[in-house]
Amino acid sequence: MMSKWAHAISFSFRSGSQADSLPIVSRIRAIDPHNSLKNIGGKRSMSVQTHRKCNVVIIGGGAIGSSTAYWLKKRASKDLSVIVLERDPTYKEASTVLSCGGVRQQFSLPENIQLSLFGGEFIQNAKKYLGDVDLCFQPNGYLVLASEKSAEVLQQNYKLQKELGACNELLTADKLKQKFPWLNVEDIALGCHGLDKEGWFDPWALLGGFRNRAKEYGADFLQGEVLDFHIPDGSKKINSVRVRAKTKEICTVDFDICVLTAGAHSGEIARKANIGNGPGALSTALPIEPRKRYVYVFTTQGENAPGPNTPQTHDLDGTYFRRDGKGSNYIAGRGPDEEAEPPVNNLDVDHEFFDTNVWPTLAKRCTAFESIKVCGSWAGFYEYNTFDANGIVGPHTYYNNLYIGTGFSGHGIQQSPAVGRVLSELILDGGYKTLDISRLGFDRIAANRPMFESNIY
Ligand SMILES: Cc1cc2nc3c(=O)[nH]c(=O)nc-3n(C[C@H](O)[C@H](O)[C@H](O)COP(=O)(O)OP(=O)(O)OC[C@H]3O[C@@H](n4cnc5c(N)ncnc54)[C@H](O)[C@@H]3O)c2cc1C
């Protein structure tokens, strides 16, 4: 049967003599003495012949992909070969390193609460799992505020969070004022404060921990950009992936199983495997796109400013702030309205957005924030799930050797420990063992079963 590349090939193969200095090639050779790099006519052939084989290939080495590699190799060790393909080992645009590193159990869906309960446990006890790392975990909790109108939903969420093992407390306006004297409670009826496994941490350190341990257990992290897939005609299996190394050299990686964890680019990569472009089950796209979010750093000289124990505070309109670092800096942000999503062709920061959308809420909530100085900012991409703004985790419905882990839309870093673990269970055990999150599967999209989460910021 004829084979075809699923995606149109828009570049030409390069030949022979530029070969020798290519990092991905030398790395492949160093790692795998049996690799199938061929010598043709006494010269090393550099293109299609340069290829690797593995049991599991993971596309995207951010927190989700690196966690998956960590769990797979920790559990299966030598019995399973794992390659992580990451196009940018500096991670300069990866969501993981541009995130705020918040972890909370204050969600409305049981799956999110449970994923983040394990995330919180893992982050709080990172040394137990990752060895000598310091995630700089700040256990200040989240403080989610509610008005008279939204108080009932907050109470329902609190009840569910409690039932599932979260340790939170509900506080009336009076109690909030006692505990947080800086808080203006004039329009607040209730607040929920997380007392355990909630706060924030250093996302870089978590990523480094996953990567280092996964490598120690034998996972290979290769620098390369995934270009397209090889899918035999009519097959429900993807056989291999083509990768462009930093030097533009083309390599192929053959695999038994593929895990797609490419963050904001997952939708685009899925299309290269005809997902969303084909007939029947292939007509459903992976609904992930980048959406830009700003984070602003500020200081205040105001009196009664929120102190070092201040929780990450979430206001009625979605504005949040928290302390940052050991000095007196704060960070703050807020998602834009759906119709005002900024362009995603750059990571520029819109400072006017702070003035018009973030600062007024900060100033209203805390008098010390009436006068502040913005001293820094950054932007990053959410891997946004346009279907229901929630993670998509599990097997693909058409390809029987493809697994997906993406779409967390703002809460993926905290869920990365649990998501990597459940993906390892699907692959090694054939089903969920620790946590059944099948309702977050890809099949919900074609079936039009959205999983809306009310606590998304
Ligand atoms: C401003 C901001 C604040 C956030 N705050 C929080 C928070 O407080 N708490 C929380 O839990 N989450 C937060 N998030 C969300 C969180 O960062 C993400 O959900 C999480 O990091 C997703 O991890 P990932 O591994 O899927 O994606 P990424 O970290 O983006 O990793 C995907 C990787 O895939 C690689 N890749 C892409 N295309 C290719 C290709 N073709 N070939 C090879 N590699 C490729 C990329 O280079 C990248 O390194 C925030 C995000 C942002 C932007």
Side-chain angles (χ1 to χ4, degrees), residues 60 62-64 86-87 95-96 99-100 102 224 226 380 383 410-414:
I64 303 287
E86 170 53 55
R87 70 175 173 192
S95 307
T96 292
S99 88
C100 299
V226 165
E383 73 289 19
H411 50 277
I413 186 83
Q414 63 191 279

Side-chain angles (χ1 to χ4, degrees), residues 47-331:
S47 49
V48 239
Q49 285 81 4
T50 302
H51 88 249
R52 280 288 297 274
K53 289 184 178 171
C54 63
N55 297 121
V56 181
V57 73
I58 297 174
I59 300 175
I64 303 287
S66 296
S67 167
T68 307
Y70 160 82
W71 284 105
L72 281 171
K73 289 301 290 182
K74 183 182 163 89
R75 297 190 52 215
S77 193
K78 289 199 178 69
D79 296 336
L80 189 90
S81 53
V82 174
I83 289 178
V84 181
L85 297 170
E86 170 53 55
R87 70 175 173 192
D88 177 18
T90 71
Y91 291 100
K92 66 178 180 303
E93 293 197 355
S95 307
T96 292
V97 303
L98 296 169
S99 88
C100 299
V103 52
R104 58 175 163 124
Q105 284 81 55
Q106 298 197 48
F107 287 99
S108 63
L109 287 176
E111 285 84 351
N112 281 335
I113 297 168
Q114 288 168 315
L115 286 166
S116 289
L117 268 168
F118 181 67
E121 200 277 322
F122 188 98
I123 288 155
Q124 199 160 274
N125 302 294
K127 285 188 173 27
K128 179 173 120 192
Y129 295 98
L130 298 176
D132 188 20
V133 294
D134 182 1
L135 300 192
C136 305
F137 178 55
Q138 288 293 315
N140 294 21
Y142 272 51
L143 174 62
V144 178
L145 300 173
S147 62
E148 285 290 346
K149 206 168 145 212
S150 54
E152 198 182 325
V153 173
L154 190 78
Q155 264 172 315
Q156 281 165 5
N157 291 345
Y158 161 81
K159 202 164 159 264
L160 180 63
Q161 291 151 15
K162 274 282 234 218
E163 276 167 22
L164 293 172
C167 183
N168 302 338
E169 65 175 350
L170 271 186
L171 297 162
T172 58
D174 288 349
K175 289 260 171 352
L176 282 167
K177 191 73 190 168
Q178 272 171 27
K179 200 165 180 183
F180 308 110
W182 48 265
L183 190 74
N184 172 5
V185 293
E186 68 185 14
D187 53 346
I188 300 298
L190 214 53
C192 186
H193 183 210
L195 302 175
D196 185 36
K197 302 191 187 76
E198 276 204 355
W200 54 91
F201 60 95
D202 179 356
W204 255 117
L206 178 65
L207 176 64
F210 279 138
R211 277 174 58 98
N212 290 342
R213 288 298 86 72
K215 282 184 197 172
E216 264 174 35
Y217 294 138
D220 292 336
F221 282 71
L222 301 182
Q223 180 176 359
E225 179 178 10
V226 165
L227 298 172
D228 51 27
F229 297 94
H230 185 223
I231 305 163
D233 271 341
S235 175
K236 291 197 161 193
K237 254 187 156 160
I238 307 177
N239 277 6
S240 65
V241 62
R242 283 200 320 165
V243 177
R244 177 167 36 215
K246 194 178 170 192
T247 51
K248 309 277 186 270
E249 199 63 27
I250 308 300
C251 308
T252 62
V253 180
D254 296 345
F255 52 79
D256 301 317
I257 287 170
C258 177
V259 186
L260 178 54
T261 55
H265 302 278
S266 299
E268 169 196 323
I269 293 175
R271 273 193 297 281
K272 294 177 178 186
N274 285 333
I275 294 169
N277 298 332
L282 282 176
S283 63
T284 306
L286 182 63
I288 309 299
E289 64 181 37
R291 292 214 176 163
K292 188 158 71 168
R293 295 293 177 267
Y294 310 119
V295 184
Y296 305 92
V297 188
F298 66 94
T299 56
T300 176
Q301 303 284 335
E303 282 183 13
N304 301 324
N309 294 329
T310 300
Q312 175 153 334
T313 304
H314 285 253
D315 218 304
L316 305 177
D317 61 2
T319 300
Y320 67 85
F321 80 90
R322 67 160 166 84
R323 303 271 301 201
D324 191 46
K326 301 248 185 272
S328 53
N329 283 355
Y330 301 83
I331 61 170

